[in-house]
Amino acid sequence: MRTLLNLIWLVLAGFWLAVGYVLAGLICCILIVTIPFGIASFRIAGYALWPFGRTIVDKRGAGAGSVLGNVIWVIFAGWWLALGHMVTGIALCLTIIGIPLGLANFKLIPISLLPLGKDIVPSDAAFAVR
C-alpha cells in the first residue's frame, strides 16, 4: 500500500514539492553560511518525494543552534514551502482518492517550517530512535 500511495503521490504532488525544496536548497547553498539550510532542504526533498513509510523524529542533541537556524529558515524559506504544502493539501483533500495524500501534505508542514533538529526515519524505526 505504501508503494501505491507513494507512486500516486509522486505523480500528483511529490515531484513539484521536491523541486521546490531542491530550488530552496540550491539558493541556500550559494552562500557558504547557509549551507546547513541547503542540506536540510535536500534531505526534506527526498522525504517530499517519497513520504509514505517514513516519519519525522526529533534529533538528539539539537540545541540552540537548531532553534536559531529554524527562526532564520522560517523567515526566508519555511513559510513559502509550508504555504505550498497547505495549498496542495487542501486541493488534494477535495477528492476522495486525494484525502490520504492531502493528509501527508499536512504532515510535511511542521518539517517545512522547522527542519533543523529533525531526522527522517522509516516508520518502523521511529520508536527505536526516540
Side-chain angles (χ1 to χ4, degrees), residues 53-115:
R54 297 194 287 174
T55 190
I56 304 160
V57 295
D58 291 331
K59 188 182 294 186
R60 292 184 183 190
S66 293
V67 173
L68 180 62
N70 281 330
V71 169
I72 294 168
W73 174 263
V74 166
I75 293 169
F76 290 108
W79 71 277
W80 286 100
L81 295 167
L83 183 66
H85 284 295
M86 182 69 73
V87 169
T88 307
I90 290 170
L92 286 170
C93 282
L94 293 176
T95 65
I96 293 174
I97 294 174
I99 290 173
L101 305 175
L103 295 176
N105 253 312
F106 298 141
K107 184 175 90 169
L108 281 162
I109 290 174
I111 197 165
S112 70
L113 285 173
L114 307 170

Side-chain angles (χ1 to χ4, degrees), residues 30-72:
I30 290 172
L31 300 171
I32 294 173
V33 176
T34 56
I35 288 177
F37 301 123
I39 293 170
S41 186
F42 293 140
R43 184 171 37 95
I44 299 168
Y47 184 52
L49 200 60
W50 207 255
F52 294 98
R54 297 194 287 174
T55 190
I56 304 160
V57 295
D58 291 331
K59 188 182 294 186
R60 292 184 183 190
S66 293
V67 173
L68 180 62
N70 281 330
V71 169
I72 294 168

